[in-house]
Amino acid sequence: THKPALQKTIVMNGQRDSLTIDSPDSAQLQHLLAPFLEVDLNKPSLQGAYDTILLADQFTGTHSLMYKARNTATVPQEVIMDIDNQQHITNVQMNKHVANLVYEYQQNLVYQQNKHIRIVTWQKIAFLPARELDVKVLLRHP
């Protein structure tokens, strides 16, 4: 019923900046979750691209679902979702890595339901210094 306040901290190449958004609108929340929402493992082009592992806890009814790419060129290479006994996703972790002779890119994404979002991106382009962007958003509930 109440939207959480967002405490956003951004560190880019060692330079840090923080801001608080007291009443985020749905567009701001959609923007924060976009890197997670853009991943569609059910696309026809990704059929058969992942090995799937299900780890279930028989006592609590919770389980973890892991998708691991069969080929290193498949992006993302790994997705891990923790799901509670009511079938709600409580935690998501994704790892992406792209590399060729000119460019290297890594991105690690973490979403913890009602707690935080963290996206760490590192990229290196030939003949240029590497760049790192670390975005962490804490959800503060009233």
Side-chain angles (χ1 to χ4, degrees):
T1 57
H2 297 290
K3 291 182 185 174
L6 304 177
Q7 177 65 44
K8 187 174 184 179
T9 303
I10 300 167
V11 179
M12 184 167 182
N13 297 327
Q15 298 292 329
R16 181 185 178 105
D17 193 16
S18 294
L19 71 115
T20 300
I21 304 168
D22 289 320
S23 297
D25 60 29
S26 59
Q28 289 169 312
L29 294 173
Q30 181 91 11
H31 177 73
L32 284 173
L33 294 172
F36 296 93
L37 299 172
E38 291 168 355
V39 174
D40 182 3
L41 300 178
N42 294 316
K43 287 191 278 190
S45 63
L46 293 177
Q47 188 173 8
Y50 291 91
D51 288 324
T52 306
I53 300 167
L54 176 66
L55 301 171
D57 184 332
Q58 301 298 322
F59 298 107
T60 64
T62 63
H63 56 280
S64 294
L65 186 58
M66 182 167 132
Y67 295 90
K68 185 120 176 101
R70 293 181 176 169
N71 182 329
T72 57
T74 303
V75 177
Q77 283 79 22
E78 184 178 69
V79 177
I80 302 168
M81 292 185 287
D82 296 328
I83 302 166
D84 67 15
N85 58 1
Q86 297 176 337
Q87 303 305 307
H88 295 117
I89 296 172
T90 58
N91 189 49
V92 177
Q93 294 180 78
M94 274 191 268
N95 298 307
K96 302 177 183 181
H97 183 232
V98 176
N100 59 43
L101 294 174
V102 180
Y103 179 73
E104 186 172 2
Y105 170 86
Q106 294 177 28
Q107 189 173 54
N108 300 311
L109 302 98
V110 176
Y111 165 77
Q112 193 170 24
Q113 182 186 30
N114 295 323
K115 294 186 180 169
H116 79 273
I117 299 165
R118 184 165 189 194
I119 301 171
V120 179
T121 305
W122 180 88
Q123 70 177 5
K124 172 76 172 101
I125 300 172
F127 310 112
L128 294 174
R131 305 185 118 201
E132 184 174 48
L133 176 65
D134 185 347
V135 177
K136 185 169 186 177
V137 180
L138 298 175
L139 287 73
R140 296 191 336 228
H141 300 276

